[in-house]
Amino acid sequence: MLEVSNLSPLQRLALRFAVISLVFYGVTILEGMMMRVHQINFDLMDPDHYFAIMGAHPMVGIFGSSFMLAFGAFYFLVPTLLKKDIYSQRLAELTWMLMAVGTGIVWLSGFLFRYAALYTNYWPLPVSKEFSPYALGSFAIGNILIMAGVGVFCYNLFGTVFHQRDEKKPIGPLLMSALGIDGFINIYRRLTKKGIEKEPIMPLPVVAIFRGTIDTILDALVLGGISVVFLYHAFYAFMGTDLSANWFDALIYKNIYWWGLDLIADGLVLIYVAGTWYLLATLISGKPLFMQNIARAALLVELVVSWNVWGHHLLSDQGQPNLMKIVSGEMVTAFELVTMGIAVFITLTTLWQARPLKMTPPLMFLLAGILGFSLGVPAGIIQADLGMNRILHNTQWVIGSHAHMQLLVGLGMTLYAALYALFPMLTNNTELKSSFLTKFHFWAHLIGGIGMAMAMGFAGMDGMLRRAIYPGDATFQSHMIVAAFFGSLMILAYLAMMYNIISSIGIRGLIEIFVKLPKGQKKAEPVEA
């Protein structure tokens, strides 16, 4: 059982993030299965409840689960890799509190007040009279708290990277290394044979985390700023005054919103994931990363690509300029195959050169994560074509074959690989109770995630829309039955993983990650006469 009293503050911090993340993930898959079942039996819930779940589902899954797990890992890894203290332990604790409370309020905005402006919040739908000011206001407040937590994380991480404390090093070289510019310099020196290659200052995983955090803070500014607008409208609606929504052009809003939102999907996820792959590949293989300079340079290229790729979400908007559709929507989007392909090639080559390798849980989940992105990224590139987008836009293909394949299989399995790799480090070498449950978790989640995503994708190819229900129409019922079957496998996978982890650290250990429990009274020894 885990002795929490023996853990460092940094270990306890990372475990708090992990526990909250896994709880929110349980909520996410439960909501997902409720939607799957409702698409089979339309009497499960009212339509407004269904669409409220649809609105809260991605917010809880992305910010409450994925971000929380990633942030907890990064709070542990960055100081550890840099061999320095975290900039502020208090700010780190504040991060999980803000994000947990904010995610809970966002979820309640749908559960209690039926806020269901679709997770995209297309203007002017969020501020329409369809939703009460309580629904809009609670969603806005929750989202602002989430983005405040994200902002605190970014500030704390930047402080950890650049704060010198007693050291007297110039900031310039640190910044160049954090951005990966030294990778370009080493490539130039090798090609021209001018000068000697220098060992970069920053470890490669820290470079990936730093660059992903740049996208993270930009995303938080956009989504937080839009939430302030929502709160402004909610306040006046609560006071009995209806504000006109015409002051904000809908097309400009959609471009701003998707630019910020896509920094998560096509920017920071790919950068964070690539960095995680590189770290896991070196930990598993025990060897330096193959083509490290190329990896550093590619991460910087991906950062720039992520700022210019949002246009593929607007390929079917007639008002969107055609030049934007072609350049951002098609050309820049297609370039993500290159940057992601480089990350896959470097990771697999590093592992290949270290053969033979034992098929440990981190390696299994790492390979499955690569598989998920290898399926999900091309599915996105297919729909990022003006012709194919006419067919696939707003169908279950988008959210199934592309989004769920990437998030559940690609990102999910990568995060689990990191979880299984870091678990011994965070718990002072506490072993998981059951290797069988670990393997069951792997296969059930992998088969369930791919199967559900493919079933939804085939439904989309047959014309099933992504934000619609079809009461009385059994056209897509068989697809949804298959999706629900595979989705149930992921629930079993989640339960197996949670039982394995909780039984390994103990209920008391789980509670003491957050609060210190009083120790039991020892029986008094008899006193000799």
Side-chain angles (χ1 to χ4, degrees):
M1 295 297 176
L2 178 64
E3 286 291 337
V4 178
S5 59
N6 296 330
L7 301 180
S8 69
L10 209 56
Q11 288 173 308
R12 292 184 64 177
L13 172 71
L15 287 172
R16 285 174 183 149
F17 275 90
V19 170
I20 296 170
S21 165
L22 294 176
V23 170
F24 276 130
Y25 177 67
V27 174
T28 303
I29 60 173
L30 178 61
E31 290 177 334
M33 282 304 298
M34 288 175 66
M35 288 189 285
R36 296 287 83 78
V37 173
H38 184 70
Q39 289 166 341
I40 300 171
N41 177 10
F42 301 105
D43 295 329
L44 182 64
M45 66 186 86
D46 296 330
D48 62 338
H49 189 192
Y50 173 86
F51 288 110
I53 289 177
M54 181 183 290
H57 178 67
M59 295 294 296
V60 176
I62 293 172
F63 292 104
S65 180
S66 299
F67 266 49
M68 290 288 279
L69 192 57
F71 285 4
F74 297 159
Y75 265 139
F76 176 78
L77 286 172
V78 172
T80 302
L81 293 171
L82 295 178
K83 298 178 181 178
K84 61 196 302 188
D85 295 332
I86 195 171
Y87 180 70
S88 172
Q89 183 77 22
R90 290 184 178 180
L91 289 179
E93 300 287 355
L94 181 62
T95 303
W96 69 261
M97 293 178 187
L98 286 171
M99 294 186 67
V101 173
T103 303
I105 293 175
V106 167
W107 182 82
L108 286 173
S109 71
F111 183 78
L112 291 180
F113 304 118
R114 296 294 191 266
Y115 179 78
L118 312 180
Y119 70 89
T120 47
N121 296 294
Y122 283 154
W123 192 263
L125 184 61
V127 297
S128 66
K129 296 180 180 179
E130 181 179 352
F131 305 109
S132 72
Y134 302 101
L136 182 60
S138 58
F139 176 84
I141 290 172
N143 209 32
I144 290 170
L145 289 176
I146 293 172
M147 300 311 152
V150 171
V152 170
F153 166 80
C154 295
Y155 175 81
N156 208 12
L157 188 135
F158 290 152
T160 303
V161 171
F162 293 115
H163 189 55
Q164 300 297 308
R165 304 207 182 266
D166 296 332
E167 302 173 14
K168 295 182 179 179
K169 293 181 181 179
I171 294 294
L174 285 174
L175 181 59
M176 289 181 62
S177 185
L179 288 172
I181 296 175
D182 47 10
F184 280 103
I185 294 174
N186 281 338
I187 293 171
Y188 172 78
R189 286 171 174 165
R190 173 173 290 188
L191 293 176
T192 61
K193 298 182 180 180
K194 294 181 179 180
I196 302 173
E197 293 184 37
K198 294 183 179 180
E199 183 68 24
I201 301 173
M202 291 287 178
L204 182 56
V206 175
V207 175
I209 294 169
F210 174 80
R211 247 165 286 174
T213 303
I214 295 174
D215 274 1
T216 304
I217 192 63
L218 294 174
D219 161 67
L221 289 173
V222 172
L223 299 187
I226 287 175
S227 296
V228 171
V229 174
F230 293 176
L231 190 61
Y232 178 75
H233 278 265
F235 172 77
Y236 276 91
F238 180 78
M239 299 299 292
T241 304
D242 291 325
L243 297 178
S244 173
N246 295 329
W247 66 276
F248 209 146
D249 182 82
L251 185 60
I252 294 176
Y253 171 91
K254 287 178 73 174
N255 275 275
I256 295 173
Y257 189 86
W258 274 116
W259 182 77
L261 198 64
D262 212 58
L263 289 174
I264 300 175
D266 296 276
L268 122 180
V269 164
L270 299 185
I271 297 173
Y272 279 164
V273 164
T276 304
W277 289 353
Y278 297 154
L279 174 64
L280 290 170
T282 54
L283 288 176
I284 292 169
S285 67
K287 294 184 177 295
L289 191 73
F290 179 71
M291 294 198 325
Q292 182 176 148
N293 289 322
I294 298 293
R296 291 175 182 271
L299 284 170
L300 182 56
V301 173
E302 176 60 45
L303 180 68
V304 177
V305 169
S306 70
W307 295 342
N308 298 279
V309 76
W310 80 95
H312 57 250
H313 292 281
L314 302 171
L315 289 176
S316 292
D317 282 74
Q318 297 302 312
Q320 184 77 346
N322 288 331
L323 185 62
M324 289 288 296
K325 294 180 180 180
I326 294 172
V327 175
S328 174
E330 290 188 319
M331 296 175 63
V332 180
T333 299
F335 197 78
E336 289 195 325
L337 277 176
V338 178
T339 54
M340 202 64 193
I342 291 173
V344 171
F345 175 75
I346 290 175
T347 303
L348 292 179
T349 304
T350 303
L351 296 172
W352 180 263
Q353 291 181 338
R355 294 168 300 149
L357 291 172
K358 183 181 179 181
M359 191 59 72
T360 60
L363 179 56
M364 292 166 54
F365 281 89
L366 170 60
L367 294 176
I370 292 174
L371 173 62
F373 277 105
S374 298
L375 295 172
V377 171
I381 301 300
I382 288 173
Q383 70 200 44
D385 171 83
L386 281 169
M388 290 299 297
N389 195 262
R390 296 285 183 179
I391 301 171
L392 299 175
H393 179 71
N394 203 33
T395 68
Q396 290 282 328
W397 169 280
V398 178
I399 205 65
S401 295
H402 175 51
H404 276 74
M405 186 72 77
Q406 290 202 160
L407 293 175
L408 287 176
V409 186
L411 178 61
M413 297 300 255
T414 298
L415 290 175
Y416 286 135
L419 178 65
Y420 281 109
L422 292 177
F423 184 80
M425 303 180 197
L426 297 176
T427 59
N428 293 337
N429 295 318
T430 299
E431 293 185 2
L432 290 171
K433 287 288 186 182
S434 172
S435 60
F436 170 79
L437 290 178
T438 301
K439 293 176 181 177
F440 180 84
H441 174 215
F442 172 81
W443 287 111
H445 188 96
L446 179 64
I447 296 172
I450 293 177
M452 191 183 79
M454 290 183 64
M456 294 169 68
F458 281 120
M461 291 174 68
D462 287 343
M464 184 178 182
L465 299 179
R466 63 188 287 197
R467 304 185 188 100
I469 49 179
Y470 298 84
D473 185 352
T475 303
F476 308 109
Q477 191 176 53
S478 60
H479 297 88
M480 293 301 99
I481 291 174
V482 174
F485 168 76
F486 284 108
S488 64
L489 290 181
M490 287 189 291
I491 290 183
L492 295 177
Y494 171 76
L495 294 175
M497 175 198 62
M498 291 297 288
Y499 178 80
N500 202 14
I501 291 176
I502 293 173
S503 62
S504 300
I505 65 178
I507 298 296
R508 183 184 181 88
L510 181 66
I511 297 173
E512 286 195 333
I513 290 173
F514 295 92
V515 295
K516 187 175 181 179
L517 295 177
K519 292 184 178 180
Q521 294 288 334
K522 291 184 178 180
K523 186 177 181 180
E525 296 290 337
V527 180
E528 294 184 5

